[in-house]
């Protein structure tokens, strides 16, 4: 499932194709995504420009000059591509923004857990109300030692499940939680409240580092994720524990990577390097 680095990769790639470009028309297939989308409700004036493309949590926001905002979520298998005017429609193409310059942005989603929603905002740069109250961005300055300490202090469930709870931490998900915990030498089953200050700070740095490294590699492709140009994210080649069951630990500690189930999800870790 696309997490923060994958969504950031897609958002960054879309910007030069969309910002300041005028919309010719929008269209949608008759298949329902996660939420119904009625584009007849969306009246886009002639020459309406796209003024901004940004990410918040795992949402991609496309803001128009008339204060309409498209909020897209890639779900499990959503991908977005840019095509020129001669493109051939593919199976599972569900939403189209056709631009006056002849190019089109196309949202494709075989499993249809993704979504596209339309909102109107009151002033530029405003977020739709449903995005208020999300946890801070892990790469922002707000996600700091103080925030992390308050977050973990009284939470007795496992640190890994805390990192994966999107109400508490946004966009980390299973792969990056495993990788950050390995990098910080922390046992994924340890209670969040029991982490020492040193461990907390090491983990905080590890989360940011893993997310930044992945963004620089264009995200991680395990099965479905594709970048806007159709290629795979290369962070898959840099994973230290995720998907490496029974392979030797990269720290040469003598152990192999183990896989356990936590909350129904495969959790990869090194029993030697992540003892405490
Ligand atoms: Zn090890």
């Amino acid at each position: 499932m696309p997490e923060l680095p994958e969504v950031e990769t897609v958002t960054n790639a879309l910007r030069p194709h969309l910002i300041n470009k005028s919309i010719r028309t929008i269209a949608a297939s008759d298949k329902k995504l996660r939420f119904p989308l009625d584009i007849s409700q969306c009246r886009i004036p002639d020459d309406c420009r796209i003024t901004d493309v940004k990410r918040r949590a795992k949402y991609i926001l496309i803001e128009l000059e008339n204060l309409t905002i498209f909020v897209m979520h890639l779900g499990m298998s959503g991908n977005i591509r840019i095509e020129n005017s001669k493109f051939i429609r593919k199976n599972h193409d569900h939403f189209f923004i056709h631009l006056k310059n002849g190019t089109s942005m196309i949202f494709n989603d075989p499993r249809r857990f993704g979504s596209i929603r339309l909102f109107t905002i009151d002033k530029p740069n405003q977020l739709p109300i449903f995005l208020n109250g999300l946890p801070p961005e892990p790469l922002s300055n707000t996600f700091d030692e103080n925030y992390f300490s308050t977050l973990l202090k009284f939470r007795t469930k496992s640190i890994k499940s805390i990192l994966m709870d999107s109400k508490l931490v946004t966009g980390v998900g299973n792969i990056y939680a495993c990788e950050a915990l390995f990098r910080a030498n922390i046992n994924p089953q340890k209670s969040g409240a029991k982490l020492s200050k040193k461990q907390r700070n090491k983990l905080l740095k590890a989360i940011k580092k893993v997310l930044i490294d992945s963004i620089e590699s264009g995200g991680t492709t395990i099965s479905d994720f594709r970048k806007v140009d159709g290629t795979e994210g290369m962070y898959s080649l840099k994973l230290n524990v995720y998907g490496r069951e029974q392979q030797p630990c990269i720290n040469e500690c003598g152990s192999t990577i183990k896989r356990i189930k936590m909350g129904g999800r495969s959790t990869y870790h090194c029993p030697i390097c992540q003892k405490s």
Side-chain angles (χ1 to χ4, degrees):
M1 187 192 299
E3 296 295 340
L4 187 154
E6 291 74 42
V7 182
E8 179 77 8
T9 298
V10 170
T11 311
N12 290 341
L14 287 176
R15 264 190 210 109
H17 294 285
L18 300 182
I19 292 183
N20 279 326
K21 304 293 190 296
S22 297
I23 295 179
R24 180 165 55 82
T25 175
I26 58 171
S29 76
D30 50 9
K31 291 270 181 2
K32 186 173 164 275
L33 295 170
R34 191 180 185 91
F35 303 104
L37 170 71
D38 184 2
I39 55 166
S40 66
Q41 305 240 311
C42 175
R43 294 189 207 295
I44 296 178
D46 277 353
D47 274 333
C48 187
R49 275 182 321 116
I50 294 171
T51 49
D52 202 5
V53 177
K54 60 192 163 205
R55 179 189 61 76
R56 175 70 177 99
K58 296 205 291 178
Y59 295 96
I60 300 168
L61 300 106
I62 299 181
E63 187 174 326
L64 314 188
E65 178 171 51
N66 71 342
L67 302 181
T68 294
I69 190 158
F70 290 105
V71 180
M72 310 194 289
H73 193 289
L74 299 174
M76 304 284 286
S77 59
N79 61 84
I80 299 175
R81 66 185 199 278
I82 300 286
E83 294 267 17
N84 65 29
S85 55
K86 292 183 191 122
F87 79 93
I88 296 164
R89 204 167 155 157
K90 294 184 184 173
N91 272 344
H92 316 295
D93 281 351
H94 294 302
F95 177 71
F96 309 81
I97 298 181
H98 301 298
L99 300 173
K100 284 221 158 151
N101 66 8
T103 61
S104 299
M105 186 213 83
I106 300 157
F107 184 95
N108 180 290
D109 188 359
R111 298 175 69 180
R112 288 193 275 128
F113 287 109
S115 63
I116 302 194
R117 283 187 276 181
L118 252 173
F119 297 90
T120 306
I121 46 177
D122 298 326
K123 53 181 186 207
N125 267 321
Q126 210 176 35
L127 292 179
I129 293 163
F130 89 101
L131 291 178
N132 292 341
L134 286 174
E137 287 290 327
L139 293 176
S140 71
N141 293 334
T142 324
F143 195 79
D144 61 3
E145 290 181 14
N146 271 338
Y147 176 81
F148 207 41
S149 145
T150 312
L151 181 77
L152 299 186
K153 209 183 282 174
F154 301 111
R155 291 206 158 81
T156 52
K157 59 181 186 170
S158 74
I159 181 62
K160 189 190 173 224
S161 58
I162 295 172
L163 296 184
M164 287 186 57
D165 184 340
S166 61
K167 291 190 197 81
L168 304 174
V169 181
T170 184
V172 172
N174 198 26
I175 297 175
Y176 302 111
C178 291
E179 293 296 315
L181 288 163
F182 174 75
R183 197 182 276 261
N185 304 108
I186 294 169
N187 184 333
Q189 290 175 302
K190 184 162 184 160
S191 151
K194 290 204 168 139
L195 261 62
S196 66
K197 185 177 177 199
K198 199 175 157 195
Q199 283 183 312
R200 270 198 320 260
N201 292 343
K202 200 172 173 187
L203 179 58
L204 180 73
K205 287 201 184 94
I207 292 168
K208 290 179 188 260
K209 173 85 176 125
V210 163
L211 295 175
I212 288 169
D213 284 356
S214 179
I215 292 168
E216 283 173 359
S217 299
T220 306
T221 297
I222 298 296
S223 56
D224 294 317
F225 175 68
R226 291 291 179 278
K227 295 193 284 175
V228 167
D229 62 7
T231 59
E232 299 191 352
M234 299 312 280
Y235 196 67
S236 345
L237 303 175
K238 297 183 182 169
L239 297 172
N240 289 325
V241 282
Y242 188 87
R244 296 195 63 245
E245 187 181 10
Q246 300 301 346
Q247 293 181 42
C249 172
I250 58 141
N251 292 342
E252 297 180 350
C253 65
S255 177
T256 54
I257 302 304
K258 304 288 179 239
R259 180 170 68 97
I260 52 170
K261 282 269 183 194
M262 288 179 69
R265 304 296 298 272
S266 287
T267 301
Y268 297 88
H269 68 115
C270 171
I272 303 284
C273 297
Q274 293 173 262
K275 228 183 233 161
S276 54

